[in-house]
């Protein structure tokens, strides 16, 4: 039997995850102000743009448990749709319309979570006990690059399975034989890997000439020279791609765990040439590649990464093995406390 407790999903509560785009939040205003329903690690959230900034609250009114996203954004407070109780940016109930003079119960608090806006995304951390950071974005502020935020997409799989797929080197000729890979060009590269501080796993991939393609500056496929992969634990990855023609493109992705078996991927396609050209081909090609991946990844059973004895690994699975080992060690560190998790993420840099 697969051991579904091999990875402790409570561990991911200590990390920042994007839950929506700023554009989605702004589009949520249908006359009641910006209030967007979101989900993270099985917790339902309401995201609100209040006068003091964007906040993330548990999407449950403590009065009689109605969902807060059905209510109103009143500028500096969220008002519940059912009996009109109002909550400030800290989640404290500050008004009960039916009892204007009476005391407000101390327990009348909506749970609030750490919330920040970065890269046009709204980031939430359910538990702030560990000193984790919002992941870097290698080129977001680099004027040489134009970054386009792609449409986020949901897959029925755990975030770790999705991340593994994004970083897998052996599936190109089978899943992407006419796009990223080439049928018959099976390669057995086993990259050198390095663990770096703040929870990064890095490796360089240089396939044989002609074996791989990647998206070029116009959104078409061109021969790939090499890719620098940076996995940001637990669920982020950056691909810094150099084409044979010398141009670079950077794909940034984070797979947010909606719950234990569903994830939502947020991603950017960035390029250092042809800023004036159309963005849509870059989005379209990436979406085509994702369509090629989705069926095999969603077919993986169980959705969560199981105990090592439940699957088989060979040498070229090195990236997957190293990634799983890190996830497992993070869960182990978390069991000892938030400080241990911090120490693990910032341990000495090391070759793998
Ligand atoms: S359930 Fe929200 S005010 Fe009553
Ligand atoms: Fe793929």
């Amino acid at each position: 039997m697969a051991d579904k407790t091999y990875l402790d999903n409570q561990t991911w509560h200590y990390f920042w995850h994007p839950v929506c785009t700023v554009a989605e939040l702004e589009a949520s205003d249908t006359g009641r102000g910006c209030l967007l329903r979101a989900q993270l690690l099985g917790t339902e959230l309401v995201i609100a743009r209040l006068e003091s900034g964007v906040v993330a609250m548990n999407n449950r009114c403590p009065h009689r448990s109605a969902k807060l996203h059905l209510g109103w954004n009143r500028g500096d407070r969220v008002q519940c749709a059912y009996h009109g109780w109002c909550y400030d940016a800290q989640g404290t109930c500050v008004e009960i319309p039916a009892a204007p003079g009476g005391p407000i119960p101390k327990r009348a608090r909506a749970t609030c979570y750490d919330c920040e806006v970065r890269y046009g995304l709204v980031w939430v951390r359910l538990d702030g006990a560990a000193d984790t950071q919002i992941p870097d974005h290698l080129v977001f502020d680099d004027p040489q690059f134009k970054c386009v935020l792609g449409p986020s997409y949901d897959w029925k799989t755990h975030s770790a399975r999705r991340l593994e797929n994004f970083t897998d080197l052996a599936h190109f000729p089978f899943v992407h034989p006419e796009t990223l890979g080439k049928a018959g060009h099976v390669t057995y590269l086993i990259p050198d890997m390095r663990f770096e501080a703040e929870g990064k796993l890095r490796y360089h991939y240089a396939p044989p000439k002609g074996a791989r393609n990647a998206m070029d500056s116009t959104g078409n496929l061109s021969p790939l020279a090499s890719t620098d992969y940076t996995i940001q634990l637990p669920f982020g990855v950056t691909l810094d791609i150099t084409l044979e023609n010398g141009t670079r493109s950077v794909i940034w992705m984070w797979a947010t765990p909606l719950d234990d078996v569903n994830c939502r991927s947020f991603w950017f396609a960035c390029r250092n040439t042809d800023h004036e050209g159309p963005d849509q081909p870059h989005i379209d090609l990436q979406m085509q590649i994702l369509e090629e991946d989705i069926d095999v990844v969603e077919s993986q059973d169980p959705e969560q990464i199981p105990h090592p004895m439940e699957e088989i690994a060979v040498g070229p699975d090195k990236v997957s093995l190293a990634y799983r080992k890190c996830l497992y060690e993070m869960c182990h560190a978390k069991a000892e406390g938030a400080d241990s998790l911090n120490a693990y993420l910032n341990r000495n840099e090391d070759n793998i």
Side-chain angles (χ1 to χ4, degrees), residues 76-149:
D76 63 346
R77 53 181 69 177
V78 173
Q79 183 168 33
C80 180
Y82 200 177
H83 311 96
W85 289 27
C86 291
Y87 302 91
D88 68 10
Q90 285 72 47
T92 306
C93 181
V94 290
E95 184 183 347
I96 297 177
I104 295 175
K106 281 201 169 48
R107 290 197 305 119
R109 295 182 66 89
T111 304
C112 278
Y113 304 103
D114 295 338
C115 184
E116 299 273 344
V117 172
R118 198 164 308 167
Y119 319 132
L121 302 172
V122 177
W123 294 78
V124 175
R125 181 171 62 176
L126 295 181
D127 191 326
D131 184 27
T132 52
Q133 311 296 321
I134 292 175
D136 294 338
H137 189 311
L138 187 65
V139 295
F140 189 79
D141 294 318
D142 183 340
Q144 291 186 348
F145 279 82
K146 180 174 187 185
C147 291
V148 181
L149 179 63

Side-chain angles (χ1 to χ4, degrees), residues 22 117 263 306:
V22 170
V117 172
C263 67

Side-chain angles (χ1 to χ4, degrees), residues 233-281:
L233 296 169
F235 304 131
V237 63
T238 301
L239 274 55
D240 186 351
I241 297 161
T242 303
L243 296 164
E244 283 186 0
N245 66 14
T247 61
R248 279 169 67 201
S249 62
V250 170
I251 307 287
W252 179 104
M253 193 279 291
W254 187 275
T256 292
L258 299 177
D259 56 29
D260 294 348
V261 293
N262 290 279
C263 67
R264 178 167 298 170
S265 297
F266 295 87
W267 61 282
F268 289 87
C270 313
R271 60 189 192 266
N272 72 344
T273 55
D274 199 36
H275 290 193
E276 310 309 319
D279 295 331
Q280 197 58 41

Side-chain angles (χ1 to χ4, degrees), residues 3 21 34 42 45 71 80 101 107 157 197 216 284 291 312 317 323 337:
D3 178 359
T21 67
C34 291
L45 307 170
C80 180
R107 290 197 305 119
T157 192
D216 68 15
D284 291 346
E291 282 299 308
I312 302 166
D317 293 312
Y323 174 60

Side-chain angles (χ1 to χ4, degrees), residues 186-199:
V186 181
T187 56
Y188 300 96
L189 294 173
I190 302 177
D192 293 333
M193 298 185 70
R194 188 165 170 75
F195 180 91
E196 295 187 358
E198 297 178 358

